[in-house]
Amino acid sequence: MKILVTGGLGFIGSHTVVELQAKGYDVIIIDDCSNASQEVLAGITAITGIEPALEIFDLREKKLVEDFFNKHTDIGGVIHFAASKAVGESVKNPLLYYENNIGTLTYILQQLKKFELPTFIFSSSCTVYGQADELPITESAPVKPAASPYGNTKQIGEEIIRDTCSIMPELKAIALRYFNPIGAHPSAHIGELPLGVPANLVPYITQTAIGLREELSVYGNDYPTPDGTAIRDYIHVVDLAKAHVVALERLLNNKNKSNYEVFNIGTGTGSSVMDVITSFENVSGKKLNYKIVDRRPGDVVAAYADTTLANQELGWTAKNSLDDMLASAWKWEQKVRSIE
Ligand code: WQD
């Protein structure tokens, strides 16, 4: 069966393509290569031995989206990653985020409706919860006013899908609310390739350790947490990728309980920034250069998932430990810098 993966050259998309191919699916990628290079295609191929089909165009070009679906009438499912995802950039350039993240979603959904394509997996985010009132966070936790346009596009995206499913009973959709994806494929053929200065913690850590950055700034150690630093639910990108395949197969096998479902995808364990630094130093054997600075505006104190629903309904559980995640991130960083 042919599965369309939009944004399939991205960090999570590429790891999901690998897992789809490992399960025997025929994958076609749409990517505009704005945030990923075609070297990722070589990385995927190096892992699976199968080069996925790739069409390079901008999903904001509605005509090109229509042409694609007119040409590929044998698509059995769609996993939609393509979106802009930098929280800080979204604050500076909200219209880019609303056009790219919302506009392209509507174009894809219009084609699903036109061709009666039955299965759709949406890349959402725990950012929709903001600072949850209760921890761990369940899927029934209230969605809070987004702290950034990026987070708002995920909330709006989920509402658009829900409304579409309500008028299209034949469409089955799942939104996966990711917690904090980190790490890289154990082969180090693919991984996270942040453009410019990383906004996220783990690529900044590995770039500091490899000597690309002077030192890590820890954004605040005065939070009401055991060591004062903020807590997140870090999940290995391969565990997250596998969750997409399981969610897709839930829909393909008609195991879904309604035609729009939401699942938290995390480990269920919260780790502080200092936990991550300690784990990194353990697995790399390197002392990390860091300093404590002020809190970053918009950060929540703590967020980690209640994974009961995904465990029970999807039969999926994250397998990798924090050490596994950081060891794979470090192996990837060393690989990337060795071939520069
Ligand atoms: C993690 C922790 C920071 C950088 C965001 C998005 C989320 C998802 C993942 C896309 C926080 C601290 C970070 C640094 C630090 N994005 N930190 N120094 O903000 O939890 O989540 O990225 O899907 O939707 O909201 O991730 O890695 O930026 O931060 O101290 O240089 O590390 O304060 O506590 P975040 P992050």
Side-chain angles (χ1 to χ4, degrees):
M1 175 181 285
K2 184 185 279 187
I3 303 296
L4 165 60
V5 179
T6 73
L9 294 183
F11 174 40
I12 303 161
S14 56
H15 287 81
T16 302
V17 169
V18 164
E19 298 306 324
L20 284 167
Q21 290 186 324
K23 289 294 289 288
Y25 291 98
D26 175 21
V27 175
I28 182 162
I29 294 169
I30 297 175
D31 204 297
D32 66 0
C33 293
S34 63
N35 197 20
S37 74
Q38 289 194 55
E39 283 152 44
V40 176
L41 201 64
I44 293 168
T45 310
I47 296 167
T48 64
I50 310 160
E51 179 168 323
L54 169 65
E55 299 218 1
I56 301 176
F57 65 88
D58 188 332
L59 287 169
R60 288 175 295 186
E61 302 289 342
K62 185 174 182 180
K63 177 75 175 58
L64 297 182
V65 176
E66 291 167 343
D67 292 348
F68 175 90
F69 282 91
N70 284 326
K71 188 167 106 181
H72 297 282
T73 53
D74 55 347
I75 289 171
V78 178
I79 304 182
H80 183 51
F81 292 102
S84 302
K85 56 153 232 158
V87 172
E89 183 190 42
S90 77
V91 174
K92 295 190 191 100
N93 195 347
L95 288 178
L96 166 73
Y97 274 67
Y98 289 115
E99 181 194 37
N100 192 34
N101 293 8
I102 304 300
T104 59
L105 172 63
T106 54
Y107 295 162
I108 296 276
L109 290 173
Q110 285 164 346
Q111 297 306 305
L112 298 191
K113 186 167 185 303
K114 179 179 169 187
F115 291 94
E116 294 178 345
L117 269 168
T119 52
F120 184 68
I121 306 291
F122 179 62
S123 167
S124 189
S125 169
C126 65
T127 200
V128 303
Y129 298 115
Q131 176 56 68
D133 302 325
E134 286 178 38
L135 294 169
I137 304 172
T138 68
E139 287 80 355
S140 53
V143 170
K144 292 237 179 117
S148 70
Y150 160 75
N152 205 23
T153 65
K154 291 303 179 185
Q155 291 180 9
I156 297 167
E158 287 192 13
E159 290 165 10
I160 290 171
I161 296 161
R162 189 197 56 217
D163 293 348
T164 304
C165 289
S166 65
I167 54 111
M168 267 182 73
E170 70 280 12
L171 174 62
K172 299 169 287 186
I174 288 178
L176 297 179
R177 290 175 177 168
Y178 312 156
F179 280 69
N180 285 59
I182 62 169
H185 193 271
S187 67
H189 285 305
I190 53 176
E192 192 169 7
L193 273 171
L195 297 178
V197 180
N200 294 131
L201 176 66
V202 170
Y204 206 105
I205 286 177
T206 57
Q207 289 189 13
T208 300
I210 203 104
L212 215 55
R213 307 286 162 206
E214 200 51 40
E215 70 180 344
L216 169 75
S217 295
V218 173
Y219 297 140
N221 69 347
D222 58 350
Y223 285 103
T225 60
D227 65 22
T229 62
I231 291 171
R232 297 290 184 273
D233 185 335
Y234 297 95
I235 176 170
H236 198 295
V237 65
V238 172
D239 282 327
L240 176 58
K242 291 179 188 291
H244 287 79
V245 180
V246 171
L248 177 75
E249 292 183 334
R250 176 181 175 84
L251 298 183
L252 293 175
N253 300 325
N254 298 307
K255 295 278 192 267
N256 50 304
K257 296 247 167 82
S258 73
N259 75 329
Y260 175 58
E261 296 176 305
V262 174
F263 293 99
N264 286 342
I265 301 298
T267 64
T269 301
S271 300
S272 72
V273 175
M274 290 314 298
D275 290 334
V276 175
I277 291 172
T278 303
S279 172
F280 177 79
E281 292 182 333
N282 290 342
V283 300
S284 66
K286 292 182 78 81
K287 187 86 186 73
L288 189 73
N289 191 19
Y290 69 88
K291 65 181 175 185
I292 307 294
V293 299
D294 291 340
R295 296 182 180 188
R296 179 172 64 177
D299 277 348
V300 297
V301 179
Y304 50 93
D306 179 320
T307 59
T308 308
L309 204 59
N311 301 153
Q312 287 177 355
E313 287 299 319
L314 296 181
W316 168 91
T317 305
K319 302 279 187 251
N320 286 279
S321 67
L322 188 62
D323 281 2
D324 296 332
M325 300 177 214
L326 290 162
S328 67
W330 180 228
K331 183 179 174 188
W332 165 249
E333 184 69 59
Q334 290 172 295
K335 160 80 179 293
V336 168
R337 301 308 157 200
S338 69
I339 53 179
E340 266 191 337

